[in-house]
Amino acid sequence: MKMKLIDPVVRSLKVAKVFRENTDKINAIDFSPNGEHLISCSEDDQIVIYDCEKGTQSRTVNSKKYGVDLIHFTHANNTAIHSSTKVDDTIRYLSLHDNKYLRYFPGHTKKVISLCISPVEDTFLSGSLDKTLRLWDLRSPNCQGLMHLSGRPVAAYDPEGLIFAAGVNSESIKLYDLRSFDKGPFVTFKLNQEKECDWTGLKFSRDGKTILISTNGSIIRLIDAFHGTPLQTFTGYPNTKGIPIEASFSPDSQFIFSGSTDGRVHVWNADTGYKVCVLNGDHPGPVQCVQFNPKYMLLASACTNMAFWLPTSEEGM
């Protein structure tokens, strides 16, 4: 039986498993495209890999020397890329099964704040506080493309991997064609500049129709991916610490999940903006990361602990 995500199923989500491997807060998580694994990185310099089918932690890798943030699986399940928190701002490509670095991607001169991998090929984008956006190929240490922007950038690929969006200075979104990005953006959406916070993440919905903008404040925005029209503003979740709280879509693009500094997960309907529920998983600290598994009915949320949520409702079957 395939379960469908509807309001009662979302409201019935309960924490099924808590992992307490980390001594400091988890700063990024990523599901593998097939949904079988989840990877996390944290401020205690640990990378932890989880098996989503078994609900177990499968292994831990340390990155004590360089630190680790913004981790992402590549298209091979046993490799990942991540940004660094120590030594320099080089992006690193890691083989997880033998804990060896396969390649380094140097170039950024300030903290990398945005990292995303193409959904279709072995290329990735990075954005940094040095006000540049760089395009890379996993097979080469040299940057394939460089964009100088007017402010702090965040980036995302569309689901087809044909275009990417760059959010600049928390006020405009520029769309680029990957085949001709050097010609500049083919469209720019100007939004009202955030007064109270910065944009910290962009995500396209799985259907490619909308873009979700997360911030380090207590506001999330949803805009139309074709026209840039503001569709929804999601508020009412606390972020008292100014941390980059992740907001994510459900795989069907219908629901928006966000962490909060009160340790709970807040959920809205993407179409109506209506708040569906607030999920309490007894997180002892701020929930910075929250994502829904692309293939299984599983939600992951993380503070210093990692929680796996499953629906307890029979509705929607």
Side-chain angles (χ1 to χ4, degrees):
M1 293 288 274
K2 203 165 162 73
M3 211 173 199
K4 204 164 165 292
L5 266 188
I6 50 173
D7 288 14
V9 174
V10 172
R11 288 193 193 105
S12 82
L13 286 164
K14 295 277 182 294
V15 174
K17 198 85 187 256
V18 179
F19 302 91
R20 298 182 174 85
E21 316 308 323
N22 297 103
T23 55
D24 209 334
K25 78 169 179 195
I26 294 168
N27 49 26
I29 64 174
D30 186 45
F31 281 105
S32 59
N34 63 10
E36 287 169 16
H37 296 94
L38 175 71
I39 195 165
S40 73
C41 62
S42 59
E43 297 191 357
D44 57 14
D45 309 326
Q46 283 196 94
I47 296 165
V48 183
I49 302 144
Y50 303 88
D51 182 314
C52 296
E53 284 184 293
K54 298 188 181 120
T56 56
Q57 182 202 330
S58 48
R59 53 194 314 253
T60 301
V61 174
N62 286 312
S63 175
K64 294 286 182 215
K65 185 176 174 186
Y66 302 113
V68 55
D69 198 357
L70 303 176
I71 197 150
H72 284 276
F73 277 115
T74 63
H75 295 290
N77 257 348
N78 56 355
T79 59
I81 54 169
H82 68 78
S83 64
S84 315
T85 57
K86 303 176 197 173
V87 184
D88 58 21
D89 298 293
T90 296
I91 295 159
R92 295 182 158 83
Y93 179 25
L94 179 65
S95 166
L96 298 165
H97 70 92
D98 54 4
N99 195 13
K100 285 195 172 68
Y101 284 108
L102 303 173
R103 193 160 284 121
Y104 297 100
F105 303 95
H108 284 301
T109 56
K110 287 188 177 164
K111 182 179 164 73
V112 174
I113 54 169
S114 185
L115 194 60
C116 52
I117 197 137
S118 162
V120 294
E121 54 189 12
D122 285 335
T123 61
F124 65 94
L125 281 164
S126 60
S128 155
L129 292 176
D130 63 17
K131 299 185 184 175
T132 66
L133 201 57
R134 288 171 181 261
L135 183 65
W136 309 86
D137 187 308
L138 281 174
R139 293 162 295 203
S140 160
N142 305 321
C143 155
Q144 308 290 301
L146 172 62
M147 283 144 280
H148 290 276
L149 301 161
S150 59
R152 169 196 179 103
V154 284
Y157 285 91
D158 82 317
E160 264 86 58
L162 298 173
I163 65 169
F164 65 88
V168 185
N169 225 19
S170 308
E171 63 177 350
S172 62
I173 290 184
K174 298 172 184 292
L175 298 187
Y176 294 84
D177 186 317
L178 270 154
R179 290 156 302 195
S180 56
F181 64 85
D182 47 340
K183 294 190 173 70
F186 62 85
V187 66
T188 299
F189 305 138
K190 198 93 167 88
L191 290 112
N192 292 333
Q193 183 159 28
E194 299 300 340
K195 298 279 188 287
E196 310 291 313
C197 58
D198 296 311
W199 291 353
T200 51
L202 293 185
K203 285 182 186 175
F204 277 87
S205 56
R206 182 72 78 83
D207 60 16
K209 291 177 182 168
T210 58
I211 298 172
L212 190 63
I213 304 168
S214 43
T215 70
N216 57 9
S218 42
I219 191 160
I220 302 161
R221 301 195 184 278
L222 186 69
I223 68 162
D224 183 289
F226 302 105
H227 309 107
T229 350
L231 299 173
Q232 300 294 348
T233 299
F234 306 107
T235 56
Y237 65 97
N239 183 1
T240 50
K241 296 185 165 59
I243 60 172
I245 287 180
E246 179 173 37
S248 296
F249 287 101
S250 56
D252 60 9
S253 313
Q254 281 188 59
F255 296 95
I256 307 293
F257 296 85
S258 167
S260 68
T261 50
D262 67 6
R264 300 186 299 176
V265 175
H266 296 248
V267 192
W268 298 266
N269 181 300
D271 291 335
T272 61
Y274 171 78
K275 194 164 212 178
V276 178
C277 59
V278 179
L279 300 167
N280 190 359
D282 296 324
H283 274 291
V287 175
Q288 187 173 327
C289 306
V290 57
Q291 285 182 29
F292 211 97
N293 188 301
K295 297 281 191 270
Y296 299 101
M297 189 64 84
L298 169 73
L299 179 74
S301 61
C303 59
T304 45
N305 300 341
M306 170 69 76
F308 280 10
W309 304 69
L310 295 170
T312 48
S313 159
E314 293 302 310
E315 296 188 59
M317 296 290 267

